[in-house]
Amino acid sequence: MASDTIIVETHGRVGLIRLNRPQALNAINVELMGALNAALDAFEADPQISVIVVTGSAKAFAAGADIKEMQHKTYPETLVADFIADWQRLARVRKPTIAAVAGFALGGGCEIALMCDFIIAAETAKFGQPEIKLGIMPGGGGSQRLTRAIGKARAMELCLTGRSIDATEAERAGLVARIVPADQLEAEALKTAAAIAEHSLPALLLVKEAVNRVAETSLAEGLLHERRAFQSLFATHDQKEGMAAFAEKRPAKFENR
Ligand code: HXC
């Protein structure tokens, strides 16, 4: 389904998805979420793409789920139609994902950023879970992923007060990997994504899987998972190439297999 609620670009092996509802600060409605999910499906299936960047505009990454669209929903509608189920696709992407955040990343916008593997923030970024001010609570993973990202005390404070934090506070809390000047956000995110995309795709997928096991399992199970994943990479062409290149003092040329 064609939709102008997102703009999709490719930059070498990097797929870029730009949220694009400027009239609503990129508030996420059903149409936008459908378009985002379709773009993610396409990049996941595309062997030419290794890394995905999700970004918004200078003013807003996304100011949340579309309040006006949700406003009149009843409980049975939210339960039976379960529109939030569509919000989980990004978290299930196997390729590395980066959120490049400028301006507002609030509510569902903050949750979308949290579903990415890491966040690069412009100095203008503002993060928060203001749902409490609407008489609701985070529904796209905010109470869970934010707590895992920044700890119980900080997450609890943000979800209970609805207060926003700026990029500096977000970096200090461990929510964002790096802050960059606003006018360099996209270039820096694409540069970082391109650097990641140089690496072996099988290794990237297994790194992501292993790091994400942390939230799902015990240390012993996680370490076993890591060891088996590590061992399996010795079945790849890229492991032979990477180690041969080191021994021969030349750059490695990975073939993603
Ligand atoms: C629908 C939104 C919106 C939203 C902004 N707009 N956020 N529309 N849903 N989440 C619209 C405004 O209505 C307005 O449209 C236009 O975007 C510009 O917004 P302003 O408020 O005029 O801009 P500004 O004064 O700069 O304030 C920016 C803001 C404020 C602080 C971000 O817009 C705001 O508080 N937005 C709501 C943030 C929020 O509560 N997010 C959580 C939503 S609940 P008009 O037509 O009036 O010009 C959620 C739950 C997710 O995300 C659960 C998972 C499914």
Side-chain angles (χ1 to χ4, degrees):
M1 178 188 68
S3 169
D4 60 4
T5 56
I6 61 166
I7 296 167
V8 177
E9 298 167 12
T10 56
H11 298 258
R13 295 195 63 82
V14 179
L16 178 82
I17 301 171
R18 196 189 310 279
L19 310 182
N20 183 48
R21 289 189 72 213
Q23 73 283 12
L25 299 181
N26 293 337
I28 301 156
N29 61 5
V30 167
E31 182 185 344
L32 188 152
M33 187 51 77
L36 173 63
N37 288 345
L40 292 170
D41 285 342
F43 282 147
E44 274 279 73
D46 186 345
Q48 303 305 318
I49 294 295
S50 289
V51 181
I52 300 167
V53 175
V54 181
T55 195
S57 67
K59 180 140 196 235
F61 178 75
D66 190 315
I67 298 168
K68 294 164 193 167
E69 195 180 62
M70 288 186 293
Q71 185 178 0
H72 299 295
K73 282 190 193 301
T74 63
Y75 169 64
E77 281 165 7
T78 63
L79 178 69
V80 175
D82 197 15
F83 72 99
I84 306 179
D86 288 344
W87 282 59
Q88 303 306 317
R89 176 69 186 95
L90 180 55
R92 290 199 316 272
V93 169
R94 295 175 68 219
K95 293 174 180 174
T97 53
I98 302 173
V101 176
F104 300 110
L106 301 178
C110 188
E111 290 168 324
I112 291 286
L114 280 162
M115 285 181 211
C116 293
D117 295 325
F118 62 91
I119 300 171
I120 299 179
E123 54 213 349
T124 57
K126 281 206 183 320
F127 299 88
Q129 299 290 161
E131 290 90 341
I132 196 73
K133 297 182 189 172
L134 300 167
I136 56 166
M137 61 175 286
S143 67
Q144 305 302 301
R145 292 196 181 91
L146 186 66
T147 307
R148 284 173 155 89
I150 68 176
K152 178 184 165 186
R154 288 188 176 106
M156 200 61 106
E157 193 224 343
L158 293 186
C159 292
L160 291 176
T161 63
R163 180 173 80 85
S164 300
I165 57 175
D166 64 15
T168 306
E169 192 173 349
E171 188 186 39
R172 215 182 314 126
L175 179 58
V176 312
R178 195 148 52 91
I179 302 176
V180 298
D183 61 354
Q184 290 164 35
L185 175 67
E186 196 171 309
E188 280 297 321
L190 286 174
K191 200 167 102 187
T192 303
I196 293 171
E198 289 279 299
H199 298 139
S200 166
L201 185 56
L204 291 172
L205 299 184
L206 292 190
V207 166
K208 173 164 176 168
E209 219 174 82
V211 172
N212 283 336
R213 292 304 296 161
V214 167
E216 309 288 347
T217 193
S218 68
L219 178 60
E221 286 299 321
L223 289 171
L224 182 61
H225 177 97
E226 180 193 72
R227 195 179 325 146
R228 294 288 177 256
F230 174 86
Q231 289 159 343
S232 74
L233 288 173
F234 285 74
T236 63
H237 172 275
D238 285 343
Q239 175 267 330
K240 301 291 175 282
E241 164 61 12
M243 293 193 178
F246 175 81
E248 292 160 19
K249 299 186 188 298
R250 61 171 174 82
K253 201 172 173 341
F254 295 116
E255 291 180 8
N256 298 312
R257 61 191 169 91

